[in-house]
Amino acid sequence: MVSPAKKRFEKTRAAREAAQAEAQEKARMEREARQRKEEDRRKKVVSTPSAEEKPVNRTMSPAAKRFQAQKAAKDAAAATPSRPTGDAYKLHEAAIIEDSRRLHDLQSIERKIEAKRDMLPNYEGYVKGVLEAGLGQQDDVLMTLMVWYLDVGDLKTGLDIAEYAVKHGLETPDRYQRKTANLVAEQVADFALKLDAEADGKEEILEQLHRTVEYFADADMHDQVKSKLFKALGYLERDAGDKETALVSLQRSLELNDRAGVKKDIERLEKELKNSGQ
């Protein structure tokens, strides 16, 4: 038979254990609530960057672009091998990632190009600052923008970046799977070859073609690409009335690739020059 004293002891112990269990359960629930709150806070930080981390505003004012250029120049001038990028780079890297996702969602090449044309003004200050003050650290943001400028036909800005890249040995990001010389030469050539016979601005494009040849004519690249570059150059020189120089360019194109499709153009130019007594 259990004594009254033992019954009281068992009752007290049960109550104490129940209180401990309740306290533990309450602590567990509070801990889980804190963890959920912290997780929500982290998600909010990732999805809604702070003012310093937000991608470039889609409608930048001239004053904002000047500040952008000054910041990019300051960071680029301070870059070192141990610290190759600064806040400006990280800011624009975030913007590039966001814009690249938008481009990835587009199926039409034409729409992608139009979208890039809308996006690029937001990077003007960054490009200007790096080109003016950069010390040549590898810059995937700048090299991506170079490709975009060439895509939309802004050959001058694209080649300004390419000149900086050649000077400092910068290469395109791995996703492009081509060396800088190959990529630039082919994109410039392709753009020029797609021009209509009556297209405006051919003089400017011819000038940029000459720049491309100057930078990359002696670079190690696929012969077919270099041939295409000289083909485009020859066609624009011919359209500008410089038949002798055009003939030399087209002959160089044929030397590099006997399937370049310029044999009849060469024959036609040779005949015209002969008939004109040149």
Side-chain angles (χ1 to χ4, degrees):
M1 184 175 178
V2 180
S3 67
K6 188 172 182 179
K7 287 182 178 180
R8 286 194 299 272
F9 173 77
E10 292 291 344
K11 185 177 181 180
T12 300
R13 186 176 68 176
R16 185 170 60 249
E17 289 177 350
Q20 289 177 342
E22 183 179 356
Q24 290 174 351
E25 179 63 16
K26 183 178 180 181
R28 183 186 67 80
M29 293 177 67
E30 289 176 349
R31 184 170 61 252
E32 290 180 352
R34 287 195 301 270
Q35 289 174 343
R36 287 194 297 270
K37 186 176 180 180
E38 177 64 17
E39 184 64 24
D40 290 342
R41 187 190 68 79
R42 290 176 180 173
K43 289 180 179 179
K44 186 176 181 180
V45 169
V46 171
S47 60
T48 311
S50 67
E52 294 181 354
E53 296 171 338
K54 283 183 180 179
V56 181
N57 191 290
R58 299 296 90 190
T59 54
M60 295 183 70
S61 66
K65 289 182 180 181
R66 286 194 297 273
F67 176 79
Q68 182 189 41
Q70 292 166 359
K71 177 61 175 171
K74 181 180 178 181
D75 284 0
T80 65
S82 60
R83 189 179 182 276
T85 62
D87 293 339
Y89 177 90
K90 293 174 183 176
L91 175 70
H92 291 84
E93 182 182 40
I96 280 276
I97 291 171
E98 178 190 341
D99 284 343
S100 295
R101 287 173 182 156
R102 291 172 56 200
L103 293 170
H104 185 267
D105 291 338
L106 298 175
Q107 300 297 315
S108 166
I109 298 297
E110 184 177 36
R111 288 188 178 183
K112 286 180 188 283
I113 291 174
E114 287 303 315
K116 288 177 182 177
R117 189 171 283 115
D118 291 338
M119 295 169 181
L120 282 169
N122 298 301
Y123 298 94
E124 288 175 1
Y126 180 79
V127 172
K128 184 175 185 291
V130 174
L131 295 186
E132 287 181 353
L135 301 178
Q137 297 296 329
Q138 178 63 35
D139 187 328
D140 286 355
V141 169
L142 185 69
M143 297 305 284
T144 298
L145 293 173
M146 178 191 74
V147 176
W148 289 10
Y149 276 113
L150 295 175
D151 282 342
V152 304
D154 186 347
L155 303 188
K156 182 183 183 306
T157 304
L159 287 172
D160 287 344
I161 299 173
E163 183 177 6
Y164 176 88
V166 170
K167 178 180 178 181
H168 296 290
L170 274 62
E171 288 295 348
T172 53
D174 292 341
R175 64 182 176 277
Y176 290 109
Q177 299 181 333
R178 285 185 289 172
K179 295 291 185 180
T180 300
N182 256 303
L183 188 149
V184 173
E186 187 160 28
Q187 285 202 257
V188 172
D190 283 342
F191 182 83
L193 289 170
K194 290 176 183 177
L195 290 174
D196 295 331
E198 303 301 323
D200 295 329
K202 281 191 172 182
E203 297 82 0
E204 168 64 19
I205 296 169
L206 178 57
E207 180 181 341
Q208 302 310 322
L209 269 170
H210 280 130
R211 284 182 71 190
T212 308
V213 170
E214 180 182 350
Y215 297 154
F216 300 114
D218 296 326
D220 181 25
M221 70 176 75
H222 299 306
D223 288 343
Q224 293 89 339
V225 173
K226 192 176 292 187
S227 171
K228 188 187 295 186
L229 180 61
F230 278 99
K231 177 180 179 178
L233 179 62
Y235 282 173
L236 284 187
E237 289 170 335
R238 178 196 62 191
D239 293 348
D242 191 352
K243 296 181 180 180
E244 288 184 280
T245 306
L247 178 59
V248 173
S249 296
L250 293 178
Q251 287 172 335
R252 179 57 178 152
S253 174
L254 186 62
E255 289 174 1
L256 291 163
N257 180 12
D258 60 6
R259 301 180 66 181
V262 296
K263 290 181 180 179
K264 292 188 180 298
D265 296 300
I266 290 173
E267 292 172 359
R268 190 176 300 111
L269 280 173
E270 287 177 334
K271 184 176 179 180
E272 290 175 2
L273 289 170
K274 182 179 180 180
N275 291 340
S276 66
Q278 296 185 46

